[in-house]
Amino acid sequence: MRVRFAPSPTGALHIGGARTALYNWLLARGQGGVLVLRIEDTDRARSTEENVEQILDALRWLKLDWDEGPIFQSQRAARHAEALERLLADGRAYRSSATADDVRSYKERHGHDRGFRGQPEAAGAVRLRVPDHGETVVDDVIRGETRFPNASMDDPVIARADGSVLYNFAVAVDDLDAAITHVVRGDDHLSNTPKQLLVFEALGAGAPRYAHLPLLHGPDGRKLSKRHGASSVQELRAAGYLPEAVDNYIALLGAGFAADEELFSLSELAERFRLERVSRNPAVFDERKLRHVNGWWLRRLSLDDLVARLEQFTGRGGLQGAVEISAEKIQTLAEFWPLAGFVFDGPAEDRSAFERAICADGGVQALRDARDSLARAEPFTERMVEQALRGVVERRGGKPGAVFQPVRVALAGTTVSPGIFETVALLGREETLGRIDRALERAEGC
RNA sequence: GCCGCUAUCGUCUAGGGGACUAGGACGCCGCCCUCUCACGGCGGAAACCCGGGUUCGAAUCCCGGUAGCGGUACCA
């Protein structure tokens, strides 16, 4: 089995493209096949080197490696020209000066279900001759047979007058030369497939098998695009998602696994993936579920690994202690700093939290009691801190929160933080008492 | 317009003629755990697009309708 992933570098790698890449990878790795990476950069106006680098980078981040390539379509011009000449010589293609407008008016005259047929001319763009009768059948692994009546198909332009080739032609020639056995790509290519099949036929070659994946949609039900928020792999990465989670989640979108379990590593995914089981209906990308999957993977990382990733993500060092006490509370890397940044940068400025927890009845006194008790705790460990703070609660009576929340706000500035005992112990006696003192001073203005 | 594809809880899905009072997951609601927030546990609300067939029997098969989506380029 030889499969390929063939993105066009006209932008960043999108989630839909990433899933296509992933499914091809899963197929190759699960069945001992070969994955070929091909960059379809024949659209010179929109293809940039920067985009190529971005796509490669995204693929690497997702841990999707390839066996051959990247092959650049633009560098295969000689081979394309050769195949084109053959079609022209065989009369399977012809030159025509007909423009898009000519095609349109032809259809006005002959009916919209009648495909355009041109006359051979001495010069002009090259069109592939489509049979007038019969149908071209795509035997899709996922969808079964889809039939396209030849009569309704236009003779497609396969090369411009200057000889530069167009997508539907280049793809077929490249897939043929790379001996691709299975073309797995987005459903938006399904209507291109008969044209490519006709190219293979004109070339006298057998075609690969095709499998068209359902598209990924945004929450509005339309094809996923830039205006749907984080839609590229880079954006997901910047939003604090783990590659493990992104791979896992996008695999779920349409893979058709039995539903009793859905948290899988790349190798587990490759083991279970079956092309024939892929769903036929488009899936909506749901970031909330990605977040859940991400939290699951996050909690499965070793402390060292998580610290390394968070240090890389935040650009800060010395995070270990804070990570240790925050790990179980975050779902994404991005949630770490808002939760634990106060450890390094001091309490956050949150007037309303201060008023609710400290200015409110008993807050100041609770803080004073906590300060006294903490000043005497020895040694200053999580266990002793807990003992000290719980002692305060006992002596005062009432709910634990009446003591813990004022302390929390004094230290973190907000009403949400990692566990209070761990936090106090991590900050240490001096820092803790200092922050409580500053809160107490500030409380005079309540 | 034309050519296609698709149709199960809000979302992702299981289901491939009787095991369906339709299962799981995310989300949502309630309870428990609990120092906040998460995690975790328990419980709950929530779906077979409509209409015809076929069949003893249809979420499952067929046809039609409707809706959504994709394509319709000398883009990829």
Side-chain angles (χ1 to χ4, degrees):
Chain A
M1 167 177 277
R2 290 176 60 84
V3 296
R4 41 67 147 199
F5 176 57
S8 79
T10 53
L13 182 62
H14 273 239
I15 296 164
R19 192 195 50 172
T20 302
L22 174 62
Y23 281 16
N24 276 290
W25 187 92
L26 254 21
L27 217 41
R29 294 296 170 263
Q31 328 219 340
V34 170
L35 176 59
V36 179
L37 178 63
R38 182 173 70 227
I39 305 294
E40 306 209 317
D41 56 349
T42 42
D43 185 345
R44 276 105 73 200
R46 294 191 300 156
S47 301
T48 70
E49 207 163 301
E50 196 187 340
N51 286 332
V52 172
E53 210 24 72
Q54 244 193 101
I55 289 170
L56 261 33
D57 182 53
L59 253 18
R60 288 189 206 104
W61 183 72
L62 290 169
K63 298 273 191 298
L64 303 180
D65 56 350
W66 54 92
D67 306 300
E68 293 178 20
I71 294 167
F72 289 84
Q73 197 158 55
S74 59
Q75 288 172 6
R76 294 184 33 83
R79 179 74 246 277
H80 296 150
E82 185 189 324
L84 193 65
E85 279 315 312
R86 232 178 85 200
L87 258 31
L88 248 9
D90 293 351
R92 306 299 300 249
Y94 60 93
R95 291 194 177 274
S96 162
S97 60
T99 63
D101 280 339
D102 295 334
V103 171
R104 225 167 287 131
S105 66
Y106 176 96
K107 293 187 148 190
E108 298 285 305
R109 277 178 282 125
H110 293 89
H112 282 278
D113 53 348
R114 268 287 291 284
F116 172 79
R117 296 289 180 272
Q119 294 300 321
E121 298 172 45
V126 180
R127 285 184 187 269
L128 183 71
R129 187 171 290 295
V130 175
D132 289 327
H133 305 289
E135 50 189 14
T136 299
V137 180
V138 180
D139 184 15
D140 194 280
V141 179
I142 296 169
R143 289 160 210 283
E145 291 190 348
T146 300
R147 325 183 85 89
F148 295 85
N150 292 329
S152 64
M153 230 183 291
D154 294 331
D155 281 357
V157 175
I158 56 176
R160 301 181 181 93
D162 67 2
S164 58
V165 296
L166 263 25
Y167 172 72
N168 283 121
F169 180 69
V171 166
V173 174
D174 291 348
D175 283 338
L176 176 62
D177 288 356
I180 298 302
T181 60
H182 298 256
V183 172
V184 179
R185 69 219 315 190
D187 187 34
D188 48 347
H189 286 283
L190 182 56
S191 42
N192 285 325
T193 308
K195 296 176 197 164
Q196 294 167 28
L197 249 16
L198 256 12
V199 172
F200 277 101
E201 196 189 300
L203 253 15
R209 295 233 42 203
Y210 289 88
H212 288 94
L213 270 20
L215 259 20
L216 254 29
H217 286 176
D220 61 352
R222 289 171 162 276
K223 189 173 161 181
L224 203 62
S225 72
K226 293 184 178 57
R227 56 194 177 72
H228 289 113
S231 60
S232 73
V233 172
Q234 266 83 7
E235 285 168 318
L236 253 22
R237 178 183 189 172
Y241 294 107
L242 267 23
E244 290 90 336
V246 175
D247 281 328
N248 190 161
Y249 177 66
I250 62 181
L252 254 26
L253 260 18
F257 296 130
D260 53 341
E261 225 190 314
E262 39 187 28
L263 275 347
F264 301 115
S265 69
L266 232 29
S267 59
E268 289 170 322
L269 248 14
E271 235 168 77
R272 302 171 197 246
F273 186 73
R274 295 285 174 279
L275 195 52
E276 318 77 57
R277 296 244 345 144
V278 171
S279 160
R280 287 183 302 274
N281 34 329
V284 174
F285 178 80
D286 181 9
E287 198 171 336
R288 289 175 307 185
K289 182 148 184 180
L290 202 212
R291 199 169 163 275
H292 169 81
V293 173
N294 202 70
W296 190 88
W297 278 102
L298 198 42
R299 269 170 262 115
R300 240 136 291 257
L301 258 28
S302 71
L303 180 62
D304 286 351
D305 192 357
L306 182 55
V307 169
R309 296 198 204 205
L310 278 167
E311 291 186 343
Q312 154 99 46
F313 188 81
T314 59
R316 306 274 294 230
L319 262 33
Q320 169 134 359
V323 172
E324 210 166 346
I325 66 174
S326 313
E328 61 169 13
K329 298 182 183 296
I330 58 174
Q331 312 298 314
T332 68
L333 297 181
E335 285 165 32
F336 171 74
W337 200 257
L339 180 71
F342 73 90
V343 171
F344 309 94
D345 293 352
E349 185 58 45
D350 184 341
R351 187 74 222 168
S352 133
F354 195 86
E355 273 164 18
R356 269 177 296 139
I358 296 178
C359 294
D361 48 354
V364 171
Q365 192 51 50
L367 213 44
R368 285 203 188 102
D369 294 349
R371 190 204 187 286
D372 291 344
S373 177
L374 253 15
R376 277 179 278 113
E378 192 64 49
F380 205 76
T381 59
E382 186 185 322
R383 196 163 152 266
M384 295 314 285
V385 165
E386 172 160 8
Q387 220 172 79
L389 255 16
R390 288 208 189 275
V392 174
V393 171
E394 232 169 89
R395 267 173 267 126
R396 293 174 52 87
K399 300 204 167 200
V403 173
F404 299 162
Q405 281 304 81
V407 173
R408 188 186 310 282
V409 172
L411 301 181
T414 57
T415 54
V416 176
S417 82
I420 197 67
F421 316 126
E422 301 95 297
T423 300
V424 169
L426 176 69
L427 285 174
R429 191 195 318 267
E430 195 183 337
E431 182 65 22
T432 299
L433 297 186
R435 289 190 189 194
I436 290 179
D437 287 340
R438 278 191 290 277
L440 250 13
E441 274 168 44
R442 219 181 130 192
E444 283 163 21
C446 276

